[in-house]
Amino acid sequence: VMMLVEEGRVGLSDPVARFLPAFEKTTVAVPSEGSGTDVVPAKRAITIRDLLTHTAGISYGEGPGQDQWKAAGIQGWYFADRDEPVRATVDRMAALPFEAQPGESWVYGYSTDILGAVVEVASGLPLDELLRTRIFAPLGMKDTHFYLPPEKRDRLTVVYSAAEDGGLEKADGEGMSSQGAYVDGPRRSFSGGAGLVSTAQDYARFLQALLGGGHLSGARILAPSTVRLMTVNHVGDLYPWAEGTGFGLGFSVVEDLGERGQPGSVGEFAWGGAYHSNYWVDPREDLVVVYMTQLRPAGDLDDVDRLRALVYAALLHGEGP
């Protein structure tokens, strides 16, 4: 998205309907005074920046209007088994009631999937081709795919679940714990929100490019000013998931280390994945951490907090033993 912003094809303040006309008029579900739900018009148009900051009010099909989302067959982040282009799914979303008014709440959900459809329209390319030619190939990300080539199927890792006895067990393989569709699925839905399979090495190269101000190994994907814009807080105090942290254009961003209460640095940007994976980039420490797991649900594990403590305790900056 930010590449297209740099090229003038997309503006952060552009209404999404400029690219996806189905979003011209959207609605919001609100609890009624009784036990039901009222559907009201959105107070304003959803913009590209609303989607990038998850302030568009769009969840994963939950909230007061969840019955309508369930009836439409659109809930949860898993798209790999869908036998339709992502644009078709996204266009159907536009007719369903969203969870909050644009700009009024931080709601995690389909915003990034909708952005994937936006960039297909703005670039004139399918999302898989755009990412492959503009990001993966230039950065040497040779093992990042929407759907695995058949010769790589044996490298796709198993998904586990936290067991009641504190151990691990293989996930049931149904729905969002299923990996099979990434190999044998319809291969038609290129989900911008949760569509890629990759390796720790490939994802580290992507993050190293962001740490380098958009540049890595002779390839530039973004200007430094763009990366700076992406990695500052854009949502005020709306971000609800961690104290001392805001949200930028696709990343959580640390603003106050004391409020956050964990080792790290102001300016660190990060996010995680549905299978308990986690990453962060700390420009002050010139640090990239990629922590890949395959665990859903993760139970009450505190492994990410322990990893963070060990990493920062090891940074001595030449201060001796």
Side-chain angles (χ1 to χ4, degrees), residues 181-206:
Y182 290 113
V183 179
D184 300 318
R187 295 176 176 254
R188 296 189 67 198
S189 183
F190 303 128
S191 162
L196 295 172
V197 292
S198 189
T199 62
Q201 180 173 338
D202 268 19
Y203 206 71
R205 289 191 64 80
F206 172 68

Side-chain angles (χ1 to χ4, degrees), residues 155-216:
R155 295 173 58 192
L156 186 62
T157 54
V158 172
V159 179
Y160 291 91
S161 296
E164 292 184 1
D165 62 3
L168 300 176
E169 59 188 14
K170 189 175 180 180
D172 61 17
E174 297 295 327
M176 291 181 284
S177 295
S178 170
Q179 295 285 76
Y182 290 113
V183 179
D184 300 318
R187 295 176 176 254
R188 296 189 67 198
S189 183
F190 303 128
S191 162
L196 295 172
V197 292
S198 189
T199 62
Q201 180 173 338
D202 268 19
Y203 206 71
R205 289 191 64 80
F206 172 68
L207 295 178
Q208 284 174 317
L210 296 176
L211 177 65
H215 178 269
L216 179 69

Side-chain angles (χ1 to χ4, degrees), residues 68-310:
Q68 294 184 50
W69 286 80
K70 183 177 181 179
I74 307 175
Q75 282 184 316
W77 47 265
Y78 189 70
F79 278 42
D81 58 352
R82 290 185 176 273
D83 192 10
E84 66 179 1
V86 69
R87 170 72 185 275
T89 311
V90 165
D91 278 348
R92 291 206 310 278
M93 291 179 188
L96 299 171
F98 298 146
E99 188 170 325
Q101 290 287 347
E104 295 187 2
S105 301
W106 194 90
V107 180
Y108 194 54
Y110 290 120
S111 288
T112 313
D113 293 288
I114 298 167
L115 285 168
V118 167
V119 299
E120 286 193 334
V121 173
S123 69
L125 295 173
L127 189 59
D128 63 332
E129 183 179 347
L130 178 69
L131 297 186
R132 184 177 65 251
T133 58
R134 297 289 302 271
I135 298 177
F136 305 156
L139 296 183
M141 298 169 64
K142 64 185 187 312
D143 284 323
T144 302
H145 310 275
F146 276 102
Y147 297 95
L148 278 185
E151 65 271 18
K152 295 184 180 182
R153 67 183 303 149
D154 291 341
R155 295 173 58 192
L156 186 62
T157 54
V158 172
V159 179
Y160 291 91
S161 296
E164 292 184 1
D165 62 3
L168 300 176
E169 59 188 14
K170 189 175 180 180
D172 61 17
E174 297 295 327
M176 291 181 284
S177 295
S178 170
Q179 295 285 76
Y182 290 113
V183 179
D184 300 318
R187 295 176 176 254
R188 296 189 67 198
S189 183
F190 303 128
S191 162
L196 295 172
V197 292
S198 189
T199 62
Q201 180 173 338
D202 268 19
Y203 206 71
R205 289 191 64 80
F206 172 68
L207 295 178
Q208 284 174 317
L210 296 176
L211 177 65
H215 178 269
L216 179 69
S217 302
R220 177 164 294 284
I221 59 172
L222 289 171
S225 59
T226 301
V227 177
R228 289 195 296 271
L229 177 64
M230 295 168 69
T231 53
V232 295
N233 185 22
H234 284 247
V235 303
D237 59 1
L238 291 181
Y239 183 63
W241 285 7
E243 296 295 329
T245 304
F247 201 85
L249 304 181
F251 310 99
S252 62
V253 182
V254 175
E255 293 194 290
D256 188 305
L257 204 57
E259 283 190 36
R260 211 271 290 267
Q262 292 180 320
S265 301
V266 171
E268 169 195 318
F269 55 97
W271 203 237
Y275 294 163
H276 193 60
S277 57
N278 194 272
Y279 73 82
W280 73 89
V281 179
D282 186 335
R284 183 168 296 184
E285 299 287 0
D286 196 29
L287 174 70
V288 165
V289 177
V290 179
Y291 183 54
M292 291 286 197
T293 67
Q294 289 285 89
L295 188 62
R296 179 181 174 87
D300 57 358
L301 286 181
D302 62 352
D303 52 327
V304 176
D305 291 342
R306 291 174 181 269
L307 171 68
R308 176 178 287 275
L310 291 168

